[in-house]
Amino acid sequence: MSLSLRDRHLWVVLAAGAGLGVLGALLSVWGNPQNSGICVSCFIENTSGALGLHDNERMQYLRPELIGFVLGSILCASLFREFRSRGGSAPLARLVSGVFLIVGSAVFIGCPIKLFLRLMAGDISSLAGLFGLIAGVWIGLQGLARGVDLGRAEDERGATGLLVPAGFILLLVFLLARPSFLLFSDRGSAAQHAPLFISLAVGLLLGVLAQRSRFCVTGSVRDGLLMGTRSPLLWGFFAFLIGAFVTNIFMGRFTFGLYGQPGAHLEYLWSFLGMLLVGWLSVLIGGCPFRQLIKAGEGDADAGLAVVGMLLGGGLVQSWGVAATAAGVATSGKISVLVGLAFVLLISLLFRDRTV
């Protein structure tokens, strides 16, 4: 089957990809950390810190973009009658997977979206993460082909799919009201942020586009390996890369090189393994950190549990010194990645259908 330019879904995917690339790069211009205009794992760590789940004073800010992603998703899903409360598929495995999604991202310093934003800004040290992500997605696909399956989510009673979106509405209230228990950094990367309402508006727009298109960076890599150029998501991925690259060039944010890149380190093996862990887990649970937020907004309680796991992971990687810095990867980070790989291997064995 070939692509058709008359396919409306293809154009929505292209809009989602281009929007993510352009706005992801522009958010850095508007105040977010350089090369981190959108970094879901970094934002999760910031949000965990704002809620008091860790005490790193440089990583505490309730990121409006995350709220926008979830609320944009539920608004779009409700408008098109696609909101459906569902869940019950290996919930504990998905919760722990959410923790290790953040572990792998924190060791690399960035989620898959930030990986490509770094690359499109000229940071070639991110290539190690790119190879790791592709390897992880490929391993995950091999597992699926051999019967690894966490199960299919079933419709649930009681509107449990509303719980996570309701939690993010509460976070929006906190962000606007600024109660005393909420923590905000006055230095470090968390102190760098675009204006609140611009960040929120960008998050809402991208949440709508991502819900409507099902666009996901890791999903694009997966579909590219499976379907080649017949995959609409792959073309959305190309639009994402072009949008980010052109914006960085136009705004003077492109710096080609290996050394001195913002939010990066030179421990390539651990960048590779960290992103391998993220890619493998993402295939297994049906999406990277960004996609989990979008699915949670659609009423997927399993994805909601992965989001809760990510928030816990955001607290743990900072409290336990797992997150890498420009100086490199701490021993605790290396051990955590290896434990994460052992975990995803274990659940692949436990959830394998022996009849396949």
Side-chain angles (χ1 to χ4, degrees), residues 278-303:
V278 172
W280 191 353
L281 278 170
S282 296
V283 170
L284 203 57
I285 65 173
C288 62
F290 178 65
R291 182 68 185 142
Q292 297 302 317
L293 288 165
I294 300 301
K295 289 169 65 177
E298 296 172 344
D300 189 329
D302 290 337

Side-chain angles (χ1 to χ4, degrees), residues 10 35 43 66 117 161 187 190 210 231 234 245 247 253 276 280 291 319 326 335 345:
L10 173 63
N35 294 359
F43 292 177
L66 297 183
L117 289 178
R187 60 192 176 92
S231 163
L234 184 63
F245 178 74
T247 305
R253 295 290 180 125
L276 185 149
W280 191 353
R291 182 68 185 142
S319 297
I335 293 172
L345 176 61

Side-chain angles (χ1 to χ4, degrees), residues 54-185:
H54 67 72
D55 59 0
N56 185 342
E57 296 179 349
R58 300 171 62 87
M59 294 289 287
Q60 294 166 334
Y61 178 57
L62 212 170
R63 291 282 177 183
E65 293 90 345
L66 297 183
I67 297 170
F69 294 155
V70 175
L71 300 190
S73 174
I74 189 174
L75 287 172
C76 187
S78 301
L79 181 65
F80 289 93
R81 299 185 178 183
E82 292 181 342
F83 182 89
R84 184 167 60 89
S85 290
R86 56 192 188 275
S89 163
L92 190 55
R94 293 178 186 274
L95 176 75
V96 180
S97 294
V99 174
F100 282 115
L101 277 178
I102 299 302
V103 167
S105 298
V107 167
F108 169 70
I109 311 186
C111 71
I113 293 175
K114 178 175 175 177
L115 188 166
F116 291 103
L117 289 178
R118 283 174 53 182
L119 193 59
M120 291 301 102
D123 176 5
I124 56 175
S125 72
S126 61
L127 285 171
L130 170 62
F131 295 137
L133 183 71
I134 294 173
V137 170
W138 184 82
I139 292 171
L141 289 174
Q142 297 307 306
L144 295 184
R146 287 162 176 76
V148 176
D149 186 4
L150 296 188
R152 185 178 296 276
E154 303 290 341
D155 287 350
E156 288 191 329
R157 298 173 59 190
T160 54
L162 285 172
L163 292 177
V164 169
F168 275 81
I169 291 173
L170 184 61
L171 291 181
L172 178 60
V173 173
F174 287 168
L175 183 61
L176 298 175
R178 304 245 173 170
S180 59
F181 58 80
L182 210 60
L183 304 172
F184 292 95
S185 298

Side-chain angles (χ1 to χ4, degrees), residues 39 41-42 45 99-111 265 270 274-275 278 313-314 317-318 322-325 328-329 333 337:
C39 172
S41 60
C42 312
E45 291 173 48
V99 174
F100 282 115
L101 277 178
I102 299 302
V103 167
S105 298
V107 167
F108 169 70
I109 311 186
C111 71
H265 59 73
W270 295 102
M275 274 294 118
V278 172
V317 297
Q318 289 296 326
V322 170
T325 66
V329 184
V337 166

